[in-house]
Amino acid sequence: MDKELQSLKDRGIPFRVLTTVYMGASDAKAINALARKYGAEVRVSYETRNTRLHAKAWMFHRKTGFSTAYVGSSNLSHAAMLDGLEWNVRLSSVATPALLQKFEATFESYWASESFEPYNPDDDGERLARALAEGGGRVSSDVSIAHLDVQPYPYQAQMLQELDAERVIHDRHRNLVVAATGTGKTIVAALDYRRLQAGALNELSLLFVAHRREILEQARQTYATVLRDGAFGELMVDGYQPDRGKHIFASIQSLNAKTLERLTPECFDVVVIDEFHHADAPTYRKIIEHFRPQELLGLTATPERSDGVNVAERFFEGRIASELRLWDALDQQLLTPFHYFGVSDGVDLSSLEFRRGRYEDRELDAVYTGNDARTAKVLQALNDKMLDSHRMKAIGFCVSVKHAEYMARKFTASGLTSAALSGESSSDERRTALRALQRGELRAVFAVDLFNEGLDIPQVDTILMLRPTQSSTLFLQQLGRGLRLAPDKPVLTVLDFIGFQHRAFRFDLKYRAVTGSSRTRLAQDLEDGFPFLPSGTQIVFDAVAQSVVLNNVKRQLGLKTPQVIEDIKDLAAQQASPELYTLRQYLKDSLSEASDIYRRRKFDGRPTTWNTLRRAGGLVPDVLWPSEEREVEVLALMQRAKAFLNVDDPVRLQSYGTLLQPDAPPVSSLPLRAQRVARMLYYSFWPQGAKSGGPADLDSGLQLLRSHAILRDELAQLIEVTADNARNLPRPLGRDHPDIPLQTHAHYTREELLAGLGMGEKGQTTPGGVREGVSWMPSSGCEALLVTLHKSEKDFSPNTMYKDYAISETLFHWESQNRTTPDSSAGQRYQHHAAQGSHIMLFVRESPTQEAGTSPYIFLGPVGYVSHEGSKPMSIIWRLRRPMPLTVFAAASTVAP
C-alpha cells in the first residue's frame, strides 16, 4: 500500500481519514504515518461514553464517475492488516449507487461533526496515545472535569432550546424538566443558568435545593465547572453557613422557618429544586411558596407520585417544559437497551368500569389477586423469555397490596424468592428488601405504585408489568426503574401482560410515548414489527397480544365522527357552562390531539372542525351560527381551517388576529411587511386567489373572513392550541430583510411561505399554482428551496428524488432540479447570489403528509453558497446562518446526532 499512498501524495490528491479510540484498536503509528508521510487529513473522535463509529471502510472518488468503495472488517490495526482473517465487500457507483451515496453522506456528516477533531501528530500524538492506551473504556464518573469548556450533548441542547421557548414564546418562568436519573439534569440546569447569566445585565443570584449533602456537593462542582469558576457557590447544609450568600446550594432541612424569615422572597433570581417530585411535601411547599424568583426550575425523573399527586399538574398547570425522550437517551447510550415483550394473559377486562383513563383498582384487584391461571402464564413467560429466571433481579408492578403479596407468595413457592412492598411498608422494610434484591437474595420485589428514588436500583434487569395502564407517564416510570446502566447488565427484559381491554382503553398513548410515532405510524410499526428502533432494543408481541393492541390502535384511528361528537357533548356537560367548552380543554380531557379533529372526512356534507362538531352536538347557539344563506360560504372557509394547525409563532398569531378584527384598516394603507402577512392569511383560504373561488382583492377577502364570527372563533381556538405547543424559538430575519414577515424555525404552509416572500404581488403567479420545489421571486430577490426529507416512490416521481440531507447543524447538502447546470441562470444565481444581491431561503419538512393532511415546512432561514459538484443536477452545500433545531437535524442527518 506504500506505493499507492505515496502516489496519491505525489499527485496532490486529497486523502481524508476518520478514526476513533474505540476499544484502543487503532494503531497510532499507522495514523501518524498517514498524516506525516502521506499527507492525509485525519480527524479523530476521542469520545469514550459510546462507540460513535466503528466502521471499517474505504471510498475512492473517480472523475470518470466510476467511484468504488470497500466495506468490511479490515480496520487499521496490526491484526487486521497482517495476520487476521478479514471479510470485505466491494461497492460501485454503477452497481450500487444508493449505497455509495449513503456512504458519502455519512462520511461528510461525521467529518463535519464536532465529535471528530482535526489531528496533528506533533500536537495531538500524546493525547491519541493516551486515549488508545485507556482502551476506549468509560470515563469514571468521579473524574474531575474542572477547566473544561462544558458543552451540552445534543439531547441536552434540545432541552435547553425547549426551556428557552417556554420563556420567550409563552412567557412561562416556572418550568419543569423531566429526565431519567443519570442523564445530566444538573448539567442542563447549570448550562441554563450560564445562558441566563450571559443575557443578564447584573450577576444573577442562585438557590439550588436538594435533600442530601452529596447531591449538593456534586451540583456545586457541576455549576463551578460549567461556569469555569472554581470558587462558585456555597453550601448550606449540616451546619455550613454561606458567607457571601449570592449562590447557595442548600439542603431542604437547612431552609427551615427561621432561615426563611431572614431571606426575602425576591432575594434569589434563579431557584432550582432538585427531585421536584417531593414538591407537595410541606417542607418543599413552604420553600416554593416563599420565594418569588425570576426563574423557577424543577428537576425530576418522576413527576407522578405513588399517592396520585402529579407535580406537573399541581405546580405547572400540567406542563412539562422539556422531557428527555426515551429514544434520545437510548441512542446516546445513557440507558440500558431493553427487550419488551407484550404477552397475552387471556384476562377479559372489557366489562370492568373504565373512567377518566383508568380502571377501578378494586375491580382489577378482584380479577388479578388469586388468579392462579394468569400467574402460571407469568411464570411460563419468564421461563420462555429469560435465560435463567433464577438469576434475575426483577420489579413487578401490581394493582394493590393484596395483589403484590399474592404474587410474592406464588413466586416464592415456585422457587423465586420474592417480597412485596407498598406505601404501607416501613422504611426499614423497604431498605431491607431492596438490599436483598441487589445482593441477589431476592429474585423479585412486587411493588404498588412506588416510583420514587427508593426503587432506583441499577442492578434491576427485569420489569414485570402486571397491571394495565394507558398512562404514558406511569408506563415510562415503570420502564425507567430498570433502565439504569449497570455492569454485567447488557439488556433490560420487560414483560407486559396484556388482556382484552375496555373499548375506551387506549394502547396508543403509552406506545407513542415510547416510540415517538404518530398513531398512523404506530399501526404500521405494529404490523411490521417495529423495524426502526435504537440499537439493541426490541419490541415484540405474541400473536394474540399483537392482535389486541393493533385492533385497539386501528379503532382509535377509525373512530367515527358521531362518537367524537358524543364525546365532546359528554365532556362539555361536566362544565358549568357547556357552551363555553374550548378546544384546548377538550384535547386535555380526552387525551386527544388537534389532528384528531381536523383529519376527518366530511359528515352530513360539513367539514370536521371544532365548531362544526360542537354545532352537531348542540353546543353552538343558533345566534352564533350563520344564516342558511351564508352557511355554505362559511363551511367552505372552515374547511381550510386545518391549514392553521402549523401556526407556532406569537408574531404571526398576533398579526392574524389583528387582521381579522372588524375595525382593521385597509391592506393598501399598511406597510409592505404587513401587506405580505395579509397575503399569507388570504392565500391560506384561497391558494389560487380568484381562480380558487376567492374574492378579487385582499381587502374583500379579509372582510369576508371578518364577517363570520364563528370562523374567527375557530381560528382563535385552533391557533391557541398550536401556539401553546410550540417547542422551537422563532426569530425574525433582521435588518437584511425588513419586509419579509417570516421567522426562522417557525412552520409555514407552502401558501404562507411563498406569499411571505412576495409571491402573488402585482398579478404574479399565486402560491397555489406552484408545485415545484424551487421558486424564484424577483420582487423580494429571494429564492425558496422547499425540501422534503423522507420521500418515497409513492409520493414523488424519480425526477424529484433529490439527495437532500443535513451534514451538520449549519451545513445542508441539496440537489438542484435535474435540468440545472452550473452555467444556467439558476446555477449562476446559486453560486453568486451574495454578489448579485439575491437570497436563498431554505424550508424543510420531514414527510409530505401528516395525520391532518399536508405537512408544513419549517423555515431554516437564509443560506449561503459553500461549494458544488456535478451538473444536471448540481449538488450544492449551503451554510445556514442560524443552526437548525436539533429535532430537525435528527430527522435530516444521515447519522444519529
Side-chain angles (χ1 to χ4, degrees), residues 302-543:
T302 57
E304 191 159 335
R305 299 285 293 147
S306 60
D307 57 7
V309 173
N310 185 308
V311 294
E313 295 285 348
R314 182 68 59 89
F315 296 97
F316 302 98
E317 300 177 342
R319 294 179 299 98
I320 294 175
S322 184
E323 187 167 9
L324 175 60
R325 294 181 301 179
L326 180 62
W327 274 183
D328 290 334
L330 288 168
D331 278 333
Q332 294 290 327
Q333 299 183 18
L334 300 169
L335 301 175
T336 302
F338 64 86
H339 291 175
Y340 170 96
F341 298 97
V343 181
S344 172
D345 63 9
V347 178
D348 188 354
L349 306 177
S350 60
S351 62
L352 300 189
E353 185 175 356
F354 188 80
R355 298 185 61 190
R356 293 191 173 276
R358 60 177 296 160
Y359 294 102
E360 290 291 329
D361 287 349
R362 171 180 47 81
E363 292 190 352
L364 285 178
D365 188 31
V367 171
Y368 289 148
T369 302
N371 190 333
D372 291 348
R374 184 186 193 239
T375 304
K377 290 181 179 179
V378 172
L379 290 167
Q380 183 61 50
L382 277 174
N383 286 331
D384 292 343
K385 307 303 181 186
M386 302 288 294
L387 290 176
D388 184 359
S389 58
H390 291 274
R391 299 180 63 182
M392 71 179 183
K393 296 177 180 178
I395 294 180
F397 291 98
C398 299
V399 174
S400 65
V401 174
K402 288 173 57 179
H403 184 214
E405 292 173 344
Y406 161 77
M407 293 302 301
R409 287 197 305 273
K410 287 295 181 179
F411 265 54
T412 300
S414 70
L416 301 172
T417 308
S418 303
L421 292 178
S422 71
E424 299 176 5
S425 305
S426 68
S427 297
D428 286 342
E429 288 175 320
R430 292 191 201 185
R431 191 161 41 247
T432 299
L434 294 176
R435 285 177 178 171
L437 183 66
Q438 282 180 300
R439 292 193 296 264
E441 297 166 4
L442 290 178
R443 291 292 143 225
V445 166
F446 292 93
V448 184
D449 288 343
L450 289 177
F451 302 109
N452 59 29
E453 63 272 18
L455 277 184
D456 193 20
I457 302 173
Q459 292 83 0
V460 168
D461 57 16
T462 307
I463 295 292
L464 305 175
M465 296 182 171
L466 301 171
R467 58 168 299 162
T469 179
Q470 72 173 21
S471 166
S472 59
T473 299
L474 292 178
F475 181 73
L476 290 175
Q477 286 174 355
Q478 291 179 1
L479 182 63
R481 293 309 90 198
L483 290 176
R484 287 289 302 276
L485 293 169
D488 301 321
K489 188 177 86 170
V491 69
L492 169 71
T493 300
V494 182
L495 300 182
D496 191 359
F497 295 89
I498 296 172
F500 299 98
Q501 305 294 335
H502 190 280
R503 283 186 60 83
F505 187 90
R506 291 179 58 180
F507 280 104
D508 65 300
L509 297 176
K510 64 180 185 180
Y511 293 125
R512 288 176 65 195
V514 172
T515 64
S517 296
S518 65
R519 260 200 291 272
T520 304
R521 180 70 254 175
L522 177 62
Q524 190 64 51
D525 285 344
L526 281 161
E527 292 183 324
D528 295 344
F530 293 89
F532 304 111
L533 299 177
S535 177
T537 294
Q538 298 179 4
I539 296 179
V540 180
F541 293 87
D542 67 29

Side-chain angles (χ1 to χ4, degrees), residues 148-163:
L148 295 179
D149 182 16
V150 178
Q151 297 298 323
Y153 288 104
Y155 72 91
Q156 294 170 330
Q158 179 63 31
M159 298 171 81
L160 292 167
Q161 286 181 8
E162 292 173 351
L163 268 176

Side-chain angles (χ1 to χ4, degrees), residues 85-376:
L85 177 61
E86 304 289 342
W87 290 67
N88 299 276
V89 64
R90 179 180 179 272
L91 309 174
S92 80
S93 57
V94 177
T96 54
L99 290 177
L100 257 69
Q101 289 177 1
K102 175 70 173 179
F103 188 134
E104 182 178 0
T106 303
F107 182 92
E108 294 296 346
S109 297
Y110 278 129
W111 188 263
S113 170
E114 292 181 356
S115 298
F116 288 86
E117 304 177 36
Y119 176 76
N120 183 314
D122 297 329
D123 299 330
D124 308 310
E126 185 177 337
R127 179 187 180 190
L128 175 64
R130 186 168 60 249
L132 290 171
E134 291 172 358
R138 292 179 178 274
V139 176
S140 173
S141 59
D142 60 359
V143 172
S144 173
I145 54 175
H147 312 301
L148 295 179
D149 182 16
V150 178
Q151 297 298 323
Y153 288 104
Y155 72 91
Q156 294 170 330
Q158 179 63 31
M159 298 171 81
L160 292 167
Q161 286 181 8
E162 292 173 351
L163 268 176
D164 212 14
E166 289 295 311
R167 291 163 181 158
V168 177
I169 297 178
H170 306 297
D171 196 28
R172 297 168 182 157
H173 300 277
R174 294 169 63 91
N175 291 295
L176 180 66
V177 167
V178 177
T181 302
T183 56
K185 293 190 298 292
T186 307
I187 291 179
V188 169
L191 290 165
D192 180 56
Y193 175 82
R194 184 175 74 179
R195 186 175 53 180
L196 291 171
Q197 182 61 73
L201 297 176
N202 302 308
E203 188 178 20
L204 297 177
S205 53
L206 169 73
L207 174 65
F208 187 101
V209 182
H211 66 292
R212 294 207 309 267
R213 176 175 174 175
E214 295 83 358
I215 295 175
L216 292 170
E217 289 175 337
Q218 292 172 6
R220 194 205 67 78
Q221 181 182 0
T222 298
Y223 274 75
T225 302
V226 168
L227 297 167
R228 306 189 74 171
D229 178 2
F232 183 85
E234 299 173 283
L235 293 177
M236 190 161 75
V237 60
D238 293 348
Y240 285 93
Q241 290 297 321
D243 296 322
R244 302 182 298 275
K246 189 72 174 180
H247 311 108
I248 298 177
F249 293 78
S251 68
I252 192 72
Q253 298 83 1
S254 67
L255 292 170
N256 52 40
K258 184 177 181 180
T259 302
L260 292 179
E261 286 179 5
R262 295 188 287 105
L263 300 172
T264 64
E266 292 82 13
C267 65
F268 293 107
D269 300 311
V270 179
V271 172
V272 179
I273 299 180
D274 196 20
E275 305 292 359
F276 199 88
H277 51 271
H278 292 299
D280 202 51
T283 50
Y284 279 80
R285 181 177 280 277
K286 69 182 180 181
I287 294 171
I288 296 169
E289 293 174 349
H290 177 79
F291 291 111
R292 292 194 292 271
Q294 297 175 21
E295 302 290 346
L296 173 70
L297 181 63
L299 308 175
T300 185
T302 57
E304 191 159 335
R305 299 285 293 147
S306 60
D307 57 7
V309 173
N310 185 308
V311 294
E313 295 285 348
R314 182 68 59 89
F315 296 97
F316 302 98
E317 300 177 342
R319 294 179 299 98
I320 294 175
S322 184
E323 187 167 9
L324 175 60
R325 294 181 301 179
L326 180 62
W327 274 183
D328 290 334
L330 288 168
D331 278 333
Q332 294 290 327
Q333 299 183 18
L334 300 169
L335 301 175
T336 302
F338 64 86
H339 291 175
Y340 170 96
F341 298 97
V343 181
S344 172
D345 63 9
V347 178
D348 188 354
L349 306 177
S350 60
S351 62
L352 300 189
E353 185 175 356
F354 188 80
R355 298 185 61 190
R356 293 191 173 276
R358 60 177 296 160
Y359 294 102
E360 290 291 329
D361 287 349
R362 171 180 47 81
E363 292 190 352
L364 285 178
D365 188 31
V367 171
Y368 289 148
T369 302
N371 190 333
D372 291 348
R374 184 186 193 239
T375 304

Side-chain angles (χ1 to χ4, degrees), residues 521-580:
R521 180 70 254 175
L522 177 62
Q524 190 64 51
D525 285 344
L526 281 161
E527 292 183 324
D528 295 344
F530 293 89
F532 304 111
L533 299 177
S535 177
T537 294
Q538 298 179 4
I539 296 179
V540 180
F541 293 87
D542 67 29
V544 175
Q546 182 188 37
S547 176
V548 169
V549 175
L550 184 57
N551 289 338
N552 181 277
V553 171
K554 287 185 172 180
R555 187 168 64 246
Q556 288 297 324
L557 282 171
L559 198 63
K560 303 300 182 184
T561 301
Q563 294 173 295
V564 177
I565 294 170
E566 288 302 313
D567 193 34
I568 293 172
K569 285 176 60 178
D570 291 344
L571 292 170
Q574 301 173 27
Q575 310 298 314
S577 302
E579 71 279 1
L580 299 180

